[in-house]
Amino acid sequence: MTITVYVPQDSSAISVGADQVAAKLAKLDDVEIVRNGSRGLFWLEPMVEVETDLGRVAYGPVGVGDIDSLVEQDLLKGEQEHPLSLGLTEEIPFLKKQQRLTFKRAGIIDPTDLVSYQTHGGYVGLKRAITMTSQECVDEVKESGLRGRGGAAFPTGIKWQTVHDAPGKKKYIVCNADEGDSGTYADRLQMEADPFGLIEGMTIAAIAVGADKGYIYLREEYPHAHLRLNEAIEKALAANLLGDNILGSGHNFDLEVRLGAKSYICGEETALLESLEGKRGVVRAKPPLPALEGLFGKPTVVNNVLSLSTISIIFEAGAKAYADFGMGRSRGTMPFQLAGNLNQCGLVELAFGVSLNELLNDFGGGSASDKPLRAVQCGGPLGTYLPESQWGIEMDYETLAGTGGVLGHGGIVAFDSSVDMSAQARFSMEFCAEESCGKCTPCRIGATRGAETIDKIRANRDRHANIALLESLCKTMEGGSLCAMGGMTPFPVKSALEHFSEDFYKEPVSSSNAGQTTYQSSGSTTEISIDSIKKAGTSS
Amino acid sequence: MIANTKQQAVLNAIEENKNLEGPLLPILHRIQNDLGHIPSEHVGDIANALNLSRAEVHGVITFYHSFKSEAHGKHIIEVCRAESCQAKGGRAIEAAVKAKLGIDYEQTTSDGAITLEPVYCLGNCACSPAIKIDTQIYGRVTEESLSDLIDSIKAGQH
Ligand SMILES: Cc1cc2nc3c(=O)[nH]c(=O)nc-3n(C[C@H](O)[C@H](O)[C@H](O)COP(=O)(O)O)c2cc1C
Ligand code: SF4
Ligand code: FES
């Protein structure tokens, strides 16, 4: 009898040896290897699963060197004596405690096997959508309460209504798969583990707003996702689930993947559209909204990977079933991504409202080092650093906003007590300077000045004046930037200053420039430069 | 001879993609992929084919980190500099790779073997710290595993 053994082809799993593990297991007799996506329990990758009468049992993290002993202890019978045994996969607490909707198929199916996608609820949603009017489709999304998972949390149904109502025959669906936020990987996991979920969601979007062309703007850093998506698109085309007259519905939808070129700002939707058009990724002023004048000036839906993938689930299960999860104005589930210095890093999909403490400790298993956790950055590189006193917070859009923070794309990066928060603040400024599109002076020049000013603070040069200067610079960036790159870079910086101020008053570490008596920190010069930044504003 | 093959690669990339909507990035990706850089002497060919000015094409090439005007080394090592990797000792990895190769970011070893580049998140944050060598991502990198990887590149085993 042939035994089915699953070894993920997820790029994180591959980054820690999954291909070598799969190759070695494939040499065993009577074994069929399925390269599934990851379940998102990344600290256990490479996680090998074996199909048994009782269900799938798991082992991990499996190295090539563990395979002989696993086989000796009857891995292929699902025996659970080996130290790497994890029991039934579905019973692993990290997974069992989750509410997986968007990610319900992740790691379970062979990502590009259309039959297995359909066995697990795939294309039920699309088949329903083609029986509905376009307005009914838009209403379904409104009723679900879905808000954009890319960061800005704008209600998806309202965006679709605008595109639906916009005049004109040519409209586009654009999927934002740029996933630039550090500490996030849910889009990648979704595209690698369940690409049809995204394709189906985009097809439903096209039917709802009357678009016939879609683009997935994928960051170049995700080559595995690129392969999976192209393979899935080809299969969907062959099955008449894309292309002309989809399932005889009269709807046409053509889908193409385009690669980004390593630019964080191209995750911002208007810069993304510029980039798709073949231009520099410079942010456009709004209005006009992309929903009215988007790609090549046509009405365009721009949605994140998770938003669009969730659409297939909403149409399968019904808007109400989805909206029953969550709290307040944050409906449904959020895929949180645990990263940084935690014992158990991985994807946690839960209804909104779980506390950060639960995520860090119950799921994340606390600090991975011998030092306690000290700071947690939520919501990507533009998100605030939260001190322990704030970890009781409930994770939903409004509660986090109430602390001055953001939930963003759901990334959670934990740091232990060895972190130097002034260095983190400096990095935020440096990153902004590096990735700014250059349109507004407060962002382009302000971030460079910000990094320099933090260097002076760290070097103990005129600390008080420079801290005041940094605060004023933050205000200028917040007020004078066209988009959140310049407008939110001050968030992590200010939170570091506010909650971890002691790190800005340490003895200077490096002696390279510190203590130079020749240095003149002239308040007036710096004032002038800030003024000129303010004056230049966004017009430059 | 070399000039001809370069020109041919550029013309192929244009021919293959010119009928797409927004063809410039796909063209540049193709050339970057085939030649390892976008030869400045051929920027004019691209501009002509797309009815753009040379300055416009040049502006696009310089805007994106992926497109290079100069040829890089035989292999590229990208080191993640972003937050999750920082939280797992990424700064030490950065220092170690620079020390081992004797170069800084955006530089190439004198034997032309390795170019070092920064990258801001590889989506491998649950297995930080992460680096990428050519098309392969490595997670849970330690100073030792990094050193071994570099040695294997130098020995031509990569
Ligand atoms: C600097 C910046 C970077 C962004 N990066 C991304 C990104 O990588 N992925 C994403 O989906 N949205 C990103 N966004 C948000 C998009 O502008 C936009 O809100 C989103 O694509 C809309 O889709 P949604 O409503 O489904 O979230 C970014 C915004 C800014 C200001
Ligand atoms: S804030 Fe920065 S990134 Fe955003 S538009 Fe202005 S210069 Fe560009
Ligand atoms: S922060 Fe390094 S891989 Fe994401």
Side-chain angles (χ1 to χ4, degrees):
Chain A
M1 198 188 79
T2 307
I3 296 159
T4 309
V5 176
Y6 296 85
V7 186
Q9 62 181 332
D10 170 273
S11 51
S12 267
I14 293 173
S15 85
V16 289
D19 281 349
Q20 290 81 342
V21 168
K24 180 145 185 192
L25 285 167
K27 292 195 186 123
L28 300 175
D29 292 333
D30 299 323
V31 162
E32 191 207 345
I33 303 285
V34 174
R35 300 302 302 269
N36 56 332
S38 173
R39 302 252 190 178
L41 282 56
F42 286 111
W43 81 99
L44 296 174
E45 294 289 3
M47 188 173 96
V48 173
E49 289 179 84
V50 177
E51 189 85 62
T52 73
D53 293 342
L54 299 173
R56 278 155 73 163
V57 294
Y59 305 83
V62 176
V64 176
D66 299 314
I67 294 177
D68 288 341
S69 68
L70 277 162
V71 172
E72 266 162 39
Q73 302 205 18
D74 282 331
L75 165 94
L76 297 180
K77 291 188 186 143
E79 284 301 330
Q80 290 292 306
E81 302 303 316
H82 196 277
L84 296 178
S85 301
L86 300 164
L88 286 166
T89 314
E90 304 283 345
E91 296 297 319
I92 298 173
F94 186 93
L95 193 57
K96 192 175 184 179
K97 286 187 291 185
Q98 299 194 30
Q99 294 156 309
R100 289 230 169 151
L101 302 178
T102 309
F103 283 85
K104 70 173 188 170
R105 282 177 289 260
I108 294 178
I109 63 169
D110 171 347
T112 50
D113 178 2
L114 188 51
V115 174
S116 134
Y117 178 69
Q118 286 175 302
T119 320
H120 288 84
Y123 282 114
V124 172
L126 177 68
K127 286 175 187 153
R128 207 179 130 228
I130 56 181
T131 66
M132 297 159 70
T133 66
S134 57
Q135 185 58 52
E136 281 166 354
C137 290
V138 173
D139 289 340
E140 185 82 5
V141 180
K142 284 187 189 160
E143 197 193 328
S144 74
L146 178 67
R147 289 164 72 182
R149 301 288 188 245
F154 187 82
T156 307
I158 296 179
K159 184 183 285 182
W160 286 24
Q161 186 73 62
T162 311
V163 181
H164 173 273
D165 295 347
K169 275 197 130 163
K170 190 75 195 170
K171 297 179 186 177
Y172 292 99
I173 309 295
V174 171
C175 171
N176 189 340
D178 200 48
E179 194 161 64
D181 284 3
S182 50
T184 73
Y185 46 80
D187 294 351
R188 179 187 65 67
L189 176 60
Q190 170 69 22
M191 292 183 285
E192 291 183 4
D194 192 17
F196 288 115
L198 171 60
I199 294 168
E200 182 182 354
M202 292 184 74
T203 312
I204 296 171
I207 290 172
V209 305
D212 65 359
K213 176 83 196 182
Y215 289 101
I216 299 172
Y217 185 89
L218 177 69
R219 72 197 302 246
E220 197 198 1
E221 292 88 336
Y222 286 177
H224 289 97
H226 192 196
L227 291 173
R228 287 302 94 67
L229 286 168
N230 277 336
E231 209 179 313
I233 287 172
E234 245 168 61
K235 290 192 180 172
L237 264 174
N240 190 220
L241 293 157
L242 276 177
D244 290 342
N245 192 17
I246 293 169
L247 299 177
S249 65
H251 294 287
N252 305 333
F253 186 54
D254 190 38
L255 186 54
E256 215 180 291
V257 183
R258 286 290 175 87
L259 290 183
K262 279 206 195 157
S263 155
Y264 178 74
I265 196 59
C266 286
E268 194 283 333
E269 58 185 2
T270 62
L272 184 157
L273 295 174
E274 290 286 300
S275 182
L276 266 180
E277 291 180 9
K279 302 177 192 150
R280 297 157 67 228
V282 175
V283 174
R284 297 178 185 168
K286 291 188 233 177
L289 290 174
L292 295 172
E293 288 178 40
L295 188 60
F296 302 109
K298 304 294 181 212
T300 304
V301 167
V302 184
N303 271 136
N304 170 257
V305 173
L306 301 182
S307 316
L308 289 162
S309 303
T310 303
I311 291 293
S312 0
I313 303 297
I314 290 170
F315 276 74
E316 179 199 340
K320 171 133 195 333
Y322 187 76
D324 281 345
F325 291 88
M327 65 182 277
R329 288 176 48 227
S330 303
R331 307 312 315 174
T333 55
M334 182 72 197
F336 299 100
Q337 298 132 76
L338 301 181
N341 185 53
L342 293 172
N343 270 313
Q344 306 187 154
C345 283
L347 180 107
V348 182
E349 182 176 357
L350 279 175
F352 288 95
V354 58
S355 80
L356 182 53
N357 255 325
E358 277 173 80
L359 288 170
L360 295 173
N361 295 311
D362 299 355
F363 287 92
S367 172
S369 67
D370 53 5
K371 299 187 177 70
L373 296 182
R374 178 161 180 247
V376 177
Q377 188 177 33
C378 276
L382 310 176
T384 53
Y385 283 100
L386 307 176
E388 189 167 1
S389 61
Q390 292 183 338
W391 298 348
I393 193 171
E394 286 173 332
M395 301 291 276
D396 78 308
Y397 294 121
E398 275 67 38
T399 313
L400 260 169
T403 66
V406 285
L407 185 50
H409 186 50
I412 294 171
V413 180
F415 292 79
D416 72 13
S417 59
S418 65
V419 69
D420 176 345
M421 293 304 294
S422 66
Q424 294 312 115
R426 189 203 192 274
F427 178 79
S428 298
M429 286 293 190
E430 188 187 342
F431 180 67
C432 180
E434 182 71 20
E435 296 296 321
S436 164
C437 84
K439 190 161 182 156
C440 354
T441 316
C443 171
R444 189 185 67 233
I445 310 285
T448 305
R449 292 286 164 274
E452 289 166 6
T453 308
I454 296 172
D455 284 342
K456 290 174 194 163
I457 297 168
R458 282 162 59 84
N460 195 8
R461 292 189 218 153
D462 225 345
R463 257 183 189 151
H464 285 285
N466 276 311
I467 285 180
L469 177 64
L470 181 61
E471 282 166 347
S472 147
L473 192 59
C474 282
K475 227 180 254 162
T476 308
M477 288 174 71
E478 281 175 47
S481 300
L482 185 58
C483 85
M485 180 88 225
M488 284 171 57
T489 290
F491 287 21
V493 176
K494 287 193 317 184
S495 62
L497 263 175
E498 182 182 345
H499 302 298
F500 305 93
S501 61
E502 62 275 22
D503 287 15
F504 293 77
Y505 289 91
K506 286 196 231 163
E507 278 303 305
V509 243
S510 111
S511 57
S512 53
N513 298 316
Q516 280 177 9
T517 44
T518 48
Y519 173 73
Q520 290 221 323
S521 127
S522 148
S524 58
T525 356
T526 30
E527 280 299 285
I528 287 167
S529 70
I530 286 236
D531 266 2
S532 59
I533 291 170
K534 276 182 188 158
K535 268 191 220 113
T538 55
S539 58
S540 78
Chain B
M1 179 61 202
I2 288 180
N4 281 342
T5 44
K6 267 193 194 176
Q7 172 120 36
Q8 201 49 52
V10 170
L11 295 180
N12 287 348
I14 294 171
E15 196 51 39
E16 249 170 52
N17 295 295
K18 68 175 185 211
N19 293 325
L20 298 175
E21 291 185 309
L24 184 52
L25 260 66
I27 289 173
L28 295 178
H29 269 304
R30 185 63 209 262
I31 299 172
Q32 175 73 40
N33 217 17
D34 290 352
L35 301 178
H37 70 298
I38 320 273
S40 38
E41 66 271 25
H42 292 300
V43 167
D45 296 336
I46 305 169
N48 285 342
L50 302 185
N51 227 346
L52 297 169
S53 70
R54 274 183 62 102
E56 279 171 303
V57 177
H58 180 74
V60 171
I61 293 170
T62 51
F63 182 86
Y64 295 96
H65 299 304
S66 295
F67 304 133
K68 310 284 177 198
S69 295
E70 307 285 330
H72 53 63
K74 192 153 174 256
H75 300 280
I76 301 179
I77 300 184
E78 294 169 85
V79 184
C80 178
R81 295 197 64 214
E83 283 87 344
S84 176
C85 291
Q86 292 167 0
K88 289 284 281 180
R91 286 193 176 91
I93 297 291
E94 287 186 68
V97 70
K98 287 181 189 174
K100 172 115 185 165
L101 297 176
I103 53 174
D104 205 338
Y105 287 126
E106 309 293 356
Q107 294 180 349
T108 300
T109 51
S110 53
D111 59 359
I114 300 172
T115 299
L116 186 61
E117 286 183 11
V119 66
Y120 297 94
C121 194
L122 292 162
N124 202 29
C125 333
C127 296
S128 291
I131 66 167
K132 190 165 164 230
I133 302 181
D134 300 328
T135 56
Q136 175 65 47
I137 299 173
Y138 296 87
R140 298 180 199 140
V141 174
T142 61
E143 289 184 39
E144 298 78 67
S145 70
L146 174 77
S147 177
D148 292 348
L149 281 168
I150 294 174
D151 289 341
S152 78
I153 299 178
K154 288 193 171 155
Q157 290 157 0
H158 201 274

